[in-house]
Amino acid sequence: MRPFELLEPSSLREALGLLDTADETVRPAGGGTALMLMMKAGVLEPSRLISLRRIEPAWAEISQSADAVEIGALATLSAIEHSGIVRSELPVIARTLRTLANVRVRNVATLGGNLAHADPHMDLPPVLIALGASVIIASRGAERELPVAELISGYYETTLASGELIVRVRVPKQFARFSAYRKITTRSADDWPALGVAVALDREGPVLREARIAVSAAFDRPLRLAAAEAVLRGASIDDEAVLIHAGDAAADEARPIADERGSAAYKRELIRVHVRRALRDALDAQGGTP
Amino acid sequence: MNDPRAKEPRNHGPQVGRSVPRKETHAKLTGTAAYVHHLVLPGMLHGKVARSRVAHARIRGIDTRAASALEGVYRVLTAADVGKLIPDPHYGPAFHDQPILAIDKVRFAGEPVALVLAYDPHVAQAAAALIEVDYEPLPAVYDEVEAMTSKAVVHEVLKPAGTFPDLKHLAGKRDTNIALDYHLERGDPAKAFAQAAHVFEHTFKTQQVLHLPLEPFVSLADPADERLTIHTASQSPSFVRIEIARLLGWPENRVRVQVPFLGGGFGAKLYIKLEALVAAAALIVRRPVKIALTMEEQFYTITKHAATLRIKSGVDSAGRIVARECEVWWNGGAYADIGPRVTQKSGFTAPGPYDIDNVSIASYALYTNLPPAGALRGFGIPQLVWAYESQADMIARAIGMDPLEFRRKNILREGRPQATGTPMRDAAIGQVLERLAQRMQWQAPFDRGSGTVRRGRGMAIGFKASISPTTSVAIVNVSADGSCHLLCSTVDMGQASDTAMAQIAAEVLGMPAERIAVVHPDTDVTPYDMATLGSRSTYHMGHAVKRAAEDARDKLLALAGELGVPPETTPIPDLFKKKYGMQAGNVIGMGSFVPAYAPTDHATGQSSNVTPYWMIGATGVEIEVDTETGVVTVTRMINVADAGKAINPAVVDTQLSGAAIMQLGFTLTEQMHFSEGQVTNPSLADYKIPGMLDLPAVIENEAVEANEQAGPFGAKGVGESGTFGVSPAIANAIEDAVGVRLTSLPITAEAVYRALRKAAGRPLDDE
Amino acid sequence: MKTIRFELNGEPVTAQVEPHHNVVELLQTMGLRGARESCGQGLCGCCTVLVDGLAVSGCLYFAAQLDGARVDTIERTEREGELDVVQQAFAECGAFQCGFCTPGFVLMTRQLLAHNPAPSEDEIRHYLSGNLCRCATYPEIIRAVQLAARIRKAGA
Ligand SMILES: Cc1cc2nc3c(=O)[nH]c(=O)nc-3n(C[C@H](O)[C@H](O)[C@H](O)COP(=O)(O)OP(=O)(O)OC[C@H]3O[C@@H](n4cnc5c(N)ncnc54)[C@H](O)[C@@H]3O)c2cc1C
Ligand code: FES
Ligand code: FES
């Protein structure tokens, strides 16, 4: 690994100041896990890393209001996994984290890093998209909020401008919405997903009012599947056939990418099956525990 | 290594057959065990290798200027530098075909082209990336069957090494990629096929995989005192010494090879890997040099042969196999390594553990432009078993016979001649098969699942000959206080050989195994051993150790006689005290072992004694198939083996499941992917080995009650037997569950799903 | 070069580190052998160390970031020369072969049992899924974790 400079500012303000530069080789670091992998592989050679680890602890806090859970971007994935608030309000996130990377990585990796990295094989983005989450982005003197769906724009690409940091993630409380995530690995169980399927269903009595389906890993970035969502809108939750139709619609509209984890044709079949199963999981999980 | 804290049992009974705790327990559990990985010498340089990015090319020029100019770089070496020290810098156990650094030509992507030396490994790494090589591309060949006739020739000249007595006839053919062809003919196959009631012919394939020990290759050479000391993670220290001495034109005693613990080997760390490069570098710069490969670089160092196997069987109306023809093409990659030996040694077991009168075998070791292939836990056997045990079920199914019954009818029974003509001795094939069937409750009704989850089960049995003829030498050194050193060059890479060897010596000497300290391989001190490979140590070195201990014991008894004290009851320390007047002196016992062997006839492959013993391994599995996705889940795996009499039953158990789980990875998930000969997944992130969540819910192991009469205390090897049956057992279970047959490894979920779609008349079209 | 101060296995220490050095490199220059780099990618756990009581992959952790931290490695023993409950259980079950992965498994098992004194087999497998053992000593390791849990319970 090439030498570089490591700075550890003690406040967000200071960090934003250090990042306010046109120099593309200055990068923020959360847990540094993804950065370190890229630097070891020689695909990233920063001149300076601005570590966020020592900024105010508030940026790692998890809190709730009446209608949303707010997670600081510096919260580690294991802090989120074990948070009482997340477990009771957003159990699908706690469940997702259990098979995301491993204990040691989760102890270090941050939510901000997980989202900003924009590796299409990340597990959290599709879940957060299905849950309707947004990121709060800060830059020197400004703050903006953006749906997670609009954050990741391509293969390792985000809409973050240079000098911008993700500082918080806001996830609406789900109330009557039921959700599930399926991580599909095609090699060993500890692999990154070949396909991620997240669903969130709003129901009114026996009728599905709205469905959000987000898929990832088989694409260059996480995507919503509009046609499959449309099939579910207004359908009865007792209608098993509609789940099959939704799976078929998902398979028809998705354009998966072939790689060593599987051919495009096979991934399309996985989408068909796992969208249906994820919907089933979500319906079964109603009122269930994490 | 030895645990000085290990308490000796008060009333030690027999030492063999006891699950003695491993000698290295404390060191390994506290993280204090020493591996070459940790070794640092004063003034040491780190070497980083610049590697070829193309599979086959002539080298027009190597530009090392930018690398040399990088601050902190000590020296950059290419073949030109090596050639000044070693005029013919080619090495290898079967062929002297592998250059220390590429000379004029590269033959695979990943081949070492230059070496950068620096005190800071990060600097060396950065500099290695700056080396520019000008290549003139050559046509390349990657497939083993194509290599038979390809115009792309990997080696213009073939240079057999003549190291092994049984490979003396090796003289590869010019202008072909065939490093070795091995043939066996027995009976009259043509006639038998003509008369057979049924003839079956199938082709099977296995993929290229690799060992991936968690301690990657690492060697350190120290040129102090006008000699060379090589500290290396090697399974074959004696070979390293001889080969390095040969390259340098030095006497053996000027080269010293030391091996502490190995962080895994599995056949990867055999013969020469980094040792020649590190030795040359250290002698050129006259400083200690260490080269520690990364996980990625292991993918460019040694792998397991991909193979294509064609197998044709004639079966009579009663279900007896009357004729078998096997053709095997081994993809050896760019350098032969031990591939020719795999081709021959495994080749003759290609018809399986079956009693067949008419056999024809052709087995070819082929050069291709892929990373070299060598020995990996089973030495070619798992590839062969994949073919013959898959076909066994296919035949049984086709003739409407139960697969267990089919095997019972055909297996080799004690005393019957194997394909080479060598009679089977102490080979518990039938017993292993029956124990497996009992454990699986083969006759009992089986829950076949329903809906989208279908269940099935399958079994497979394989066998392996040992490596012969090979030599082992051991020394037992009894000190005046009655404690004892055992000196042998067997490498403990996790298989607990230190403990097993101590048990054997202790049994002879009538002392607890804990009292015997095992000296790790150091060629200045520990005597010759061919190598730690092929499950040979327990038998070969076990014999040598037993003889050395017997020699020591006889000398102690003679000493007692000389001193006129009762030989059986006088404590050892008293003998020394009486002899020397104080606590002083040693008694040294020596033992060596070379098993009997009759070379195979070149034309027919026949031999009256092709192996000192046979290893038998069988695996049965129960699986679930998700018919919507093709995902196969192994819910139960049973491994049964004939290990002779187990020296250490707990260790035998661990060896069986360890080998079987490794083979599970080779069956379901592991695969090296290539693009134009370049590995595209060279990391543990993209090459997936089994982890905790990939294990079958239930794993059972059994070593049958057996005895190898010729073995030390009835024992024989077991390190590989667990691998034999795994792959075909799973394929057989898949057919049992869902009626589709997979003939290529790995069996990915996608492959199963595609087969299901095809069987349903709706093949999955590619997009 | 930067000077950092941290607590290593209960002792205050000072070290000179380069920003691009990771924790394994640092610990090895300090003579510790227990954390080793193998995969270098956070997957195998051979490099496991505890930072402020939490397990991390030393291969993906900048040494400089240990400044002010409490670091524990496999070398830390409660009583000099004695194996703890987890190590005893690993010894009893023969839960290692080549030993390269073993310190990582022992440290992770301690963490698991500290959080979850009576883990189910499924919980054990999940918790340890980020530790690889190429010798595939997994069945013995699972048994060792279960045994350690039982010994701890009996001792409590
Ligand atoms: C062995 C292993 C297995 C893994 N398996 C999985 C898996 O199965 N599923 C999965 O989803 N993930 C997996 N991961 C990825 C893991 O989740 C990421 O490494 C992690 O989330 C990145 O977080 P970090 O805080 O370490 O990011 P960093 O490495 O610190 O940063 C990553 C990127 O984000 C930028 N960045 C960091 N913080 C911010 C911020 N607050 N605002 C803006 N930009 C920022 C950095 O500049 C960098 O470009 C795995 C990782 C490893 C090492
Ligand atoms: S070396 Fe760090 S996890 Fe493998
Ligand atoms: S014991 Fe060898 S890798 Fe685990």
Side-chain angles (χ1 to χ4, degrees):
Chain A
M1 201 185 285
R2 305 243 183 184
F4 59 90
E5 196 182 357
L6 180 70
L7 298 182
E8 299 192 300
S10 55
S11 70
L12 178 65
R13 214 183 123 86
E14 199 187 329
L16 289 170
L18 289 165
L19 286 163
D20 186 13
T21 158
D23 185 349
E24 294 267 313
T25 65
V26 178
R27 293 288 284 263
T33 57
L35 281 169
M36 196 100 156
L37 285 181
M38 293 191 290
M39 289 163 69
K40 283 187 165 190
V43 295
L44 180 75
E45 293 185 341
S47 63
R48 185 183 286 175
L49 285 185
I50 313 298
S51 168
L52 306 176
R53 288 179 356 128
R54 294 189 200 271
I55 68 170
E56 299 88 343
W59 301 107
E61 273 168 19
I62 301 169
S63 61
Q64 60 179 325
S65 61
D67 57 358
V69 175
E70 298 227 347
I71 308 174
L74 268 292
T76 62
L77 301 183
S78 58
I80 301 169
E81 179 186 4
H82 295 112
S83 145
I85 296 174
V86 172
R87 289 184 160 241
S88 64
E89 297 300 327
L90 306 166
V92 66
I93 291 184
R95 277 198 298 268
T96 300
L97 286 167
R98 188 175 186 231
T99 56
L100 188 155
N102 57 50
V103 175
R104 293 181 314 279
V105 172
R106 297 200 294 273
N107 279 342
V108 176
T110 61
L111 180 59
N114 188 281
L115 292 176
H117 190 40
D119 175 340
H121 297 99
M122 295 292 194
D123 290 301
L124 281 178
V127 176
L128 292 174
I129 289 171
L131 298 181
S134 54
V135 284
I136 319 296
I137 298 166
S139 55
R140 207 165 166 171
E143 205 177 273
R144 64 183 176 117
E145 183 164 350
L146 192 71
V148 173
E150 290 166 34
L151 173 72
I152 300 168
S153 52
Y155 190 69
Y156 291 92
E157 274 173 30
T158 65
T159 52
L160 291 174
S162 83
E164 280 191 324
L165 284 177
I166 299 173
V167 290
R168 246 176 298 132
V169 175
R170 194 192 323 269
V171 194
K173 286 193 173 172
Q174 301 296 302
F175 305 112
R177 188 183 289 151
F178 303 107
S179 47
Y181 176 68
R182 289 179 82 84
K183 171 178 189 155
I184 291 90
T185 59
T186 53
R187 305 187 294 194
S188 66
D190 78 326
D191 197 3
W192 275 265
L195 172 69
V197 179
V199 302
L201 304 173
D202 281 314
R203 57 178 273 199
E204 240 171 43
V207 176
L208 288 174
R209 204 159 48 80
E210 210 206 318
R212 289 212 199 90
I213 304 177
V215 288
S216 62
F219 313 90
D220 66 350
R221 64 194 166 95
L223 297 169
R224 291 271 295 271
L225 294 179
E229 292 176 358
V231 168
L232 293 163
R233 210 164 292 134
S236 154
I237 60 160
D238 299 318
D239 184 358
E240 204 59 40
V242 82
L243 304 189
I244 296 173
H245 291 157
D248 289 343
D252 287 346
E253 72 178 307
R255 295 280 167 272
I257 299 168
D259 60 16
E260 284 163 8
R261 293 187 179 86
S263 68
Y266 179 60
K267 288 183 185 174
R268 185 183 298 284
E269 296 310 313
L270 290 179
I271 292 167
R272 187 189 312 282
V273 172
H274 289 291
V275 164
R276 191 194 75 221
R277 290 185 184 177
L279 293 168
R280 184 77 263 158
D281 291 347
L283 293 171
D284 289 349
Q286 297 184 42
T289 45
Chain B
M1 256 291 287
N2 310 284
D3 182 359
R5 293 172 188 81
K7 290 187 204 77
E8 292 182 6
R10 187 95 43 82
N11 291 315
H12 66 84
Q15 297 302 298
V16 160
R18 173 182 153 221
S19 291
V20 175
R22 290 168 184 243
K23 293 196 148 294
E24 65 281 13
T25 297
H26 196 275
K28 285 186 175 172
L29 287 174
T30 54
T32 53
Y35 301 83
V36 184
H37 178 83
H38 296 114
L39 189 61
V40 174
L41 293 181
M44 172 180 101
L45 289 163
H46 293 271
K48 289 285 176 186
V49 179
R51 295 174 182 277
S52 165
R53 296 193 191 102
V54 295
H56 199 195
R58 224 160 276 294
I59 298 175
R60 287 207 203 92
I62 305 175
D63 186 349
T64 60
R65 283 170 302 181
S68 302
L70 192 72
E71 188 171 318
V73 169
Y74 187 87
R75 182 83 191 262
V76 181
L77 302 176
T78 65
D81 304 289
V82 174
K84 286 179 207 146
L85 176 77
I86 304 170
D88 182 6
H90 292 88
Y91 61 86
F95 285 80
H96 292 157
D97 60 359
Q98 191 154 2
I100 292 176
L101 289 170
I103 302 171
D104 300 334
K105 192 175 154 170
V106 290
R107 297 183 178 84
F108 71 97
E111 176 162 10
V113 174
L115 181 73
V116 180
L117 299 174
Y119 289 111
D120 179 344
H122 293 274
V123 169
Q125 182 74 61
L130 298 176
I131 290 173
E132 291 294 335
V133 186
D134 183 13
Y135 294 112
E136 176 190 328
L138 295 169
V141 58
Y142 306 120
D143 179 84
E144 62 274 8
V145 179
E146 278 168 30
M148 289 288 289
T149 53
S150 168
K151 291 269 174 297
V153 175
V154 182
H155 291 268
E156 288 83 2
V157 186
L158 296 167
K159 303 185 216 162
T163 315
F164 299 109
D166 62 321
L167 295 181
K168 277 266 168 13
H169 66 289
L170 260 191
K173 302 170 184 171
R174 241 196 116 84
D175 290 331
T176 82
N177 292 311
I178 304 171
L180 175 93
D181 53 339
Y182 167 80
H183 300 274
L184 182 148
E185 290 292 330
R186 182 175 180 76
D188 188 345
K191 189 166 146 213
F193 276 118
Q195 292 171 353
H198 317 270
V199 175
F200 301 90
E201 184 173 341
H202 303 101
T203 299
F204 300 89
K205 281 187 154 292
T206 71
Q207 81 285 32
Q208 196 168 0
V209 296
L210 81 168
H211 316 68
L212 278 185
L214 288 190
E215 176 199 36
F217 298 89
V218 53
S219 302
L220 196 167
D222 178 7
D225 302 330
E226 292 305 308
R227 59 190 312 231
L228 192 66
T229 303
I230 303 176
H231 306 268
T232 182
S234 170
Q235 296 174 234
S236 50
S238 303
F239 182 91
V240 170
R241 170 161 84 163
I242 292 172
E243 187 74 343
I244 297 298
R246 179 187 70 78
L247 285 166
L248 295 170
W250 286 7
E252 275 193 55
N253 67 3
R254 239 180 115 185
V255 178
R256 177 180 192 179
V257 180
Q258 289 183 285
V259 180
F261 286 116
L262 256 59
F266 316 112
K269 297 172 176 171
L270 280 168
Y271 310 111
I272 297 295
K273 291 295 170 291
L274 298 172
E275 293 87 354
L277 179 57
V278 86
L283 288 170
I284 290 169
V285 299
R286 312 210 140 269
R287 269 178 174 60
V289 170
K290 181 176 185 177
I291 303 179
L293 296 193
T294 60
M295 189 54 76
E296 172 183 348
E297 289 177 291
Q298 299 210 78
F299 288 78
Y300 312 126
T301 306
I302 194 74
T303 68
K304 176 175 175 173
H305 291 80
T308 299
L309 310 102
R310 187 181 65 81
I311 174 164
K312 180 173 159 189
S313 301
V315 178
D316 71 13
S317 53
R320 278 204 55 99
I321 310 170
V322 293
R324 184 162 273 184
E325 191 178 283
C326 309
E327 237 182 327
V328 191
W329 298 271
W330 303 94
N331 193 328
Y335 296 102
D337 198 81
I338 200 61
R341 217 173 159 83
V342 171
T343 303
Q344 188 214 23
K345 284 289 172 198
S346 298
F348 65 70
T349 69
Y354 298 112
D355 195 340
I356 310 171
D357 288 334
N358 305 288
V359 179
S360 161
I361 301 169
S363 181
Y364 303 95
L366 292 146
Y367 284 119
T368 62
N369 295 111
L370 291 175
L376 198 172
R377 211 165 193 172
F379 220 69
I381 298 298
Q383 290 98 316
L384 297 168
V385 187
W386 165 239
Y388 63 68
E389 283 300 88
S390 290
Q391 199 192 37
D393 265 45
M394 294 162 87
I395 296 173
R397 206 166 274 278
I399 62 174
M401 191 181 273
D402 176 76
L404 171 63
E405 207 44 51
F406 178 73
R407 288 181 173 85
R408 276 185 182 142
K409 207 179 226 7
N410 283 290
I411 51 172
L412 278 162
R413 303 283 171 182
E414 192 70 9
R416 292 286 302 157
Q418 189 266 343
T420 53
T422 299
M424 300 303 291
R425 263 188 315 97
D426 292 336
I429 301 173
Q431 207 181 330
V432 167
L433 187 64
E434 295 308 330
R435 280 303 299 153
L436 179 63
Q438 280 166 23
R439 281 188 168 253
M440 293 185 81
Q441 297 181 287
W442 192 260
Q443 309 304 347
F446 181 71
D447 167 13
R448 315 205 63 84
S450 62
T452 59
V453 179
R454 297 301 166 119
R455 305 186 71 247
R457 58 192 177 152
M459 60 165 60
I461 182 165
F463 77 139
K464 178 177 186 285
S466 173
I467 304 297
S468 189
T470 59
T471 303
S472 293
V473 185
I475 294 171
V476 164
N477 180 351
V478 186
S479 292
D481 64 351
S483 72
C484 189
H485 275 100
L486 170 59
L487 286 75
C488 69
S489 291
T490 293
V491 177
D492 197 324
M493 49 190 174
Q495 81 282 34
S497 53
D498 286 359
T499 310
M501 295 306 156
Q503 284 179 264
I504 290 173
E507 178 76 34
V508 174
L509 292 165
M511 57 174 69
E514 286 81 354
R515 201 176 298 166
I516 296 184
V518 180
V519 178
H520 274 170
D522 172 349
T523 57
D524 269 14
V525 178
T526 57
Y528 178 89
D529 178 44
M530 182 260 182
T532 304
L533 59 76
S535 310
R536 67 179 285 283
S537 299
T538 302
Y539 187 94
H540 292 74
M541 186 56 83
H543 264 302
V545 168
K546 181 162 176 266
R547 288 177 181 179
E550 285 163 355
D551 188 31
R553 184 198 56 200
D554 293 348
K555 285 176 175 158
L556 287 168
L557 292 176
L559 181 59
E562 177 194 318
L563 299 171
V565 296
E568 302 296 346
T569 51
T570 311
I572 294 174
D574 293 359
L575 289 179
F576 283 92
K577 237 187 212 131
K578 183 136 198 224
K579 166 90 179 167
Y580 298 105
M582 57 187 289
Q583 184 173 334
N586 298 78
V587 163
I588 294 177
M590 216 279 290
S592 70
F593 181 73
V594 195
Y597 173 72
T600 55
D601 180 273
H602 290 181
T604 64
Q606 298 294 296
S607 159
S608 60
N609 186 4
V610 79
T611 176
Y613 59 97
W614 299 95
M615 290 163 267
I616 321 293
T619 292
V621 294
E622 296 177 6
I623 63 153
E624 284 175 9
V625 181
D626 178 340
T627 57
E628 288 187 305
T629 59
V631 170
V632 173
T633 308
V634 179
T635 53
R636 182 169 178 223
M637 178 162 81
I638 302 159
N639 308 301
V640 182
D642 169 10
K645 182 168 164 40
I647 301 271
N648 189 322
V651 167
V652 166
D653 204 72
T654 297
Q655 284 293 306
L656 283 176
S657 58
I661 294 167
M662 193 170 198
Q663 188 66 28
L664 188 69
F666 298 151
T667 307
L668 298 177
T669 60
E670 296 181 41
Q671 176 168 31
M672 291 173 72
H673 290 279
F674 294 93
S675 165
E676 311 224 336
Q678 174 76 51
V679 190
T680 57
N681 60 335
S683 75
L684 271 177
D686 288 314
Y687 178 97
K688 302 308 292 186
I689 68 173
M692 280 273 177
L693 293 170
D694 301 297
L695 301 190
V698 179
I699 301 178
E700 300 165 31
N701 309 304
E702 177 176 331
V704 300
E705 292 278 333
N707 188 40
E708 174 67 39
Q709 281 178 45
F713 301 108
K716 60 183 166 192
V718 71
E720 300 158 310
S721 310
T723 64
F724 299 166
V726 175
S727 307
I730 291 173
N732 292 341
I734 291 170
E735 181 160 15
D736 187 49
V738 292
V740 298
R741 174 55 60 175
L742 280 298
T743 55
S744 289
L745 291 177
I747 303 175
T748 60
E750 175 165 355
V752 175
Y753 180 76
R754 283 180 178 271
L756 285 165
R757 285 285 297 261
K758 199 164 155 216
R762 297 186 302 125
L764 186 64
D765 290 328
D766 271 307
E767 306 188 344
Chain C
M1 274 297 187
K2 181 182 166 192
T3 304
I4 60 168
R5 287 178 187 77
F6 61 102
E7 190 189 303
L8 178 59
N9 295 331
E11 304 278 333
V13 293
T14 310
Q16 299 281 318
V17 295
E18 297 277 6
H20 61 287
H21 283 180
N22 68 39
V23 167
V24 183
E25 289 172 280
L26 172 64
L27 293 177
Q28 293 199 344
T29 62
M30 300 178 85
L32 299 187
R33 294 176 179 165
R36 304 104 200 214
E37 183 155 335
S38 174
C39 72
Q41 293 183 305
L43 292 146
C44 72
C46 290
C47 61
T48 302
V49 298
L50 309 186
V51 177
D52 293 328
L54 287 181
V56 309
S57 279
C59 71
L60 290 187
Y61 207 98
F62 292 117
Q65 298 199 317
L66 293 184
D67 199 14
R70 182 162 52 80
V71 179
D72 291 301
T73 70
I74 190 72
E75 282 86 357
R76 178 168 195 157
T77 43
E78 289 313 318
R79 266 166 303 168
E80 190 54 44
E82 279 187 37
L83 302 180
D84 81 334
V85 166
V86 171
Q87 288 164 320
Q88 282 169 24
F90 271 63
E92 176 71 29
C93 297
F96 63 90
Q97 293 182 63
C98 78
F100 211 71
C101 68
T102 310
F105 273 102
V106 169
L107 286 168
M108 291 304 287
T109 301
R110 285 186 192 154
Q111 293 260 297
L112 167 62
L113 297 180
H115 295 302
N116 182 354
S120 66
E121 183 170 333
D122 179 64
E123 286 167 335
I124 294 170
R125 288 189 185 218
H126 264 95
Y127 201 90
L128 297 179
S129 66
N131 289 67
L132 296 173
C133 176
R134 188 52 158 167
C135 301
T137 324
Y138 300 121
E140 292 80 357
I141 293 171
I142 293 172
R143 285 198 286 276
V145 178
Q146 290 165 335
L147 176 62
R150 283 200 303 277
I151 304 176
R152 280 176 99 242
K153 192 169 165 218

